Amino acid sequence: MTRFTAWNVFWQGMTGQKGWSRQWRDPAPKAHYDVVIVGGGLHGLATAYYLAKTHGVKNIAVLEKGWIGGGNAGRNTTIVRSNYAQPGNREFYEHSLKLWENLSHELNYNVMFSQRSHVALLHSPGAIDAASRNYNTMRLTGTPDAEIWDLPTLKRAVPHLNYAANARFPIIGAAVQKRAGTARHDAAVWGYARAADARGVDILQNCKVEGISRDGGRITALDTSRGRITAGKVAFAVAGSTSLLWQMAGLGGLPIESHKLQAFVSEPLKPLLDQVVVFGMGGAHFYISQSDKGGMVFGGDLDWYKSYAQRGNLPIVQDVAEAAMSVLPCLGRVKLLRHWSGLVDMSMDGSHFICKTPLDNLYLNAGWNYGGFKASPASGWWFADLIASDRPAPMIAPFDLKRFERGLQIDERGAGPDCKLHG
C-alpha cells in the first residue's frame, strides 16, 4: 500500500493518478478468526484498527454485507462535537474529539476534519440559562472551548442568519463549542479501512451474516454469504440492523428501535457559512454546514416511525426546508442536489451501548442515536479495549444493557426515540 506524502500526491497529480495501488486488500475468508467484527462501518473498522494496533490482536475479520462506505457510514451528516454535560457522555465524547483532532495523521489519510465551531442558537432567556449551566459544567470538567455568545457576538460571527424581531424563531444568543466542526464521513471510513488492512485485518465485503450457531452460552460460528466462519470472539457493530442480528443470535429483544434520519445537500455555493449552525425549538430541529465543495449540508429530525428504509420522503423535505428558511432565508432559491436517509439505532434513553452480552464471547456496540459519527474513534477505541480485555473500562461501564434495571438515564434529554409517541 502506498503511504501518502506531499510528494507522491503531487507526483500522481502530475502523472495522471495512475500509480496508486488499491487501498485495501480483497482477501478470501478464512475458516477461523480470533475476532470477527460484524459491520464494516466506522465503528466496526475503528474497532478492528485499535484491536490490531493497540492490543496486538492478529487474526481479525470485519464482515460487511455491502461495500465499505456504502451503508450508514456514508449516510450521516459529518458533524463532530463534544458539547455534552452529563458525566459519562462528556468524557467519552471529549476523548473522541481529541482522537478526531489527530486522525488524519494517525491514519495517513485526509479525513477532512475542520474545526469550524458548532453554534447552537438560543431563542429564550430560559434556553440561555440551561445552556449556560451545561457549558459552565463543560468548562469546569475539561472542555475549555465552550462559550455563550450574546447577540452582537453572534451577528459578527454568523451574519446571514434571520435576526428579525418577528422571525419565527427569534435568535437572542448561542452556545458555541469552538473545537467542534465537521469531517468527511466516507473519507473517515476509508481511512480506517486502509489503516486496519495495513495491520493485517481481513475486510470481507459482500459478506452478509445469514445465520448464527451457538453452543450454549457461546457463539461458535457465523454462516455468511461467503461461507461458514468460526470465531473466538464476535462483535456486533451494525447500526440500524442490530436488533436483527440480536434476534438471529437467539437473544430476543433489545431496548433499541431503528429509525431513519434524512439529510440533504444543495448545489455548490460561494463561501457562506463558516460554522455548523443548529437549533431546536418548538418541535423543530435543524442543522446546517457548508462542505468544502460549497454544498450546504443540512437536515432535521427523525421520521418518528420505525423503519429499515433508506429512502427519503416529501414530508421531511418540507419540514427541513421550512426550518432552513426560518433561520437562513437567503437559501430560498438554492436548489437541492441530493437527499438521502440513513438508519440509526435509537435506544430508549438516547445513549449508546458498548458492553458485554448474555453470551460469553459476544460484544455489543449499538444504540448511537444521533451521536454515532462523532463518537466513532472513541467507540472503536473502547470497544477494542473491551473485546481485548474482556472487562469494561470505567469510561464505558455505565453504557451497558442493565442500566435500565438500575434506573440510570444517561443522555442529557433522555429522549431516545420518544417511544411514547408511536407504536
Side-chain angles (χ1 to χ4, degrees):
M1 179 194 307
T2 306
R3 180 170 177 79
F4 292 121
T5 65
W7 166 250
N8 63 27
V9 169
F10 170 78
W11 179 250
Q12 290 297 330
M14 298 297 292
T15 57
Q17 308 285 357
K18 297 178 180 178
W20 299 115
S21 57
R22 65 179 302 145
Q23 296 299 292
W24 54 84
R25 299 167 296 127
D26 184 22
K30 301 177 187 173
H32 176 82
Y33 290 94
D34 295 338
V35 179
V36 171
I37 299 166
V38 184
L42 271 167
H43 295 259
L45 289 167
T47 302
Y49 170 72
Y50 292 118
L51 267 174
K53 180 197 174 193
T54 307
H55 301 282
V57 180
K58 300 295 185 184
N59 193 21
I60 306 170
V62 176
L63 312 187
E64 169 54 44
K65 68 178 179 181
W67 65 94
I68 299 302
N72 286 320
R75 294 171 177 269
N76 52 64
T77 52
T78 76
I79 297 173
V80 176
R81 59 183 173 85
S82 66
N83 53 347
Y84 287 78
Q86 291 288 339
N89 274 325
R90 66 173 181 248
E91 295 87 356
F92 184 90
Y93 284 100
E94 181 61 19
H95 180 219
S96 197
L97 180 56
K98 289 177 178 174
L99 291 173
W100 275 110
E101 288 175 330
N102 193 48
L103 198 59
S104 292
H105 295 286
E106 167 94 23
L107 303 180
N108 183 232
Y109 201 90
N110 185 7
V111 301
M112 301 173 75
F113 182 47
S114 169
Q115 292 178 289
R116 59 183 68 181
S117 300
H118 180 274
V119 179
L121 304 180
L122 303 173
H123 307 277
S124 69
I128 289 180
D129 289 346
S132 298
R133 180 193 61 203
N134 288 344
Y135 277 52
N136 282 331
T137 300
M138 291 162 55
R139 290 176 65 89
L140 293 170
T141 54
T143 309
D145 58 320
E147 300 179 358
I148 300 295
W149 286 359
D150 59 15
L151 192 55
T153 305
L154 179 60
K155 284 183 176 180
R156 286 195 299 272
V158 196
H160 305 301
L161 299 177
N162 183 3
Y163 295 108
N166 62 349
R168 182 183 178 197
F169 302 115
I171 301 167
I172 64 172
V176 179
Q177 185 181 23
K178 303 191 77 170
R179 290 185 302 134
T182 62
R184 179 165 171 160
H185 45 200
D186 41 13
V189 74
W190 294 336
Y192 269 121
R194 183 174 179 273
D197 177 83
R199 292 183 175 275
V201 174
D202 280 359
I203 298 172
L204 306 176
Q205 300 179 86
N206 299 307
C207 187
K208 182 180 180 181
V209 174
E210 298 174 335
I212 297 174
S213 298
R214 284 177 48 182
D215 181 7
R218 293 181 62 84
I219 290 179
T220 54
L222 301 172
D223 295 309
T224 78
S225 55
R226 298 183 64 179
R228 187 176 178 85
I229 299 173
T230 62
K233 296 181 177 180
V234 177
F236 289 168
V238 292
S241 299
T242 305
S243 296
L244 298 175
L245 278 178
W246 195 256
Q247 292 171 3
M248 196 181 291
L251 293 170
L254 271 175
I256 282 177
E257 292 181 355
S258 292
H259 291 252
K260 61 178 180 174
L261 184 61
Q262 302 181 43
F264 308 80
V265 64
S266 76
E267 61 182 330
L269 305 177
K270 291 183 177 180
L272 173 70
L273 188 63
D274 292 334
Q275 301 84 8
V276 177
V277 173
V278 305
F279 80 89
M281 181 182 181
H285 176 218
F286 179 72
Y287 58 85
I288 187 167
S289 63
Q290 188 167 20
S291 75
D292 292 346
K293 292 192 292 186
M296 306 304 295
V297 182
F298 56 96
D301 226 325
L302 297 173
D303 280 16
W304 299 111
Y305 56 84
K306 290 172 281 189
S307 175
Y308 289 105
Q310 290 186 308
R311 291 185 298 181
N313 55 44
L314 291 178
I316 293 295
V317 174
Q318 178 179 353
D319 180 71
V320 173
E322 289 174 349
M325 288 297 294
S326 72
V327 293
L328 277 164
C330 61
L331 298 179
R333 293 184 180 276
V334 172
K335 296 177 181 176
L336 277 182
L337 193 65
R338 289 184 289 121
H339 170 209
W340 66 90
S341 172
L343 289 182
V344 288
D345 275 348
M346 302 299 292
S347 65
M348 294 300 112
D349 66 350
S351 285
H352 54 272
F353 303 102
I354 298 182
C355 59
K356 299 184 70 173
T357 71
L359 302 183
D360 290 342
N361 63 339
L362 176 64
Y363 304 83
L364 178 66
N365 180 320
W368 288 98
N369 298 270
Y370 304 99
F373 178 66
K374 59 180 173 284
S376 51
S379 166
W381 178 287
W382 292 110
F383 199 34
D385 180 78
L386 173 67
I387 295 168
S389 64
D390 207 34
R391 54 96 185 98
M395 179 72 85
I396 60 170
F399 299 102
D400 64 3
L401 285 167
K402 295 187 176 181
R403 63 176 182 255
F404 302 105
E405 298 176 15
R406 301 192 297 269
L408 179 63
Q409 199 175 59
I410 298 175
D411 185 72
E412 333 282 299
R413 295 169 57 209
D418 279 342
C419 51
K420 64 181 182 298
L421 296 178
H422 48 81

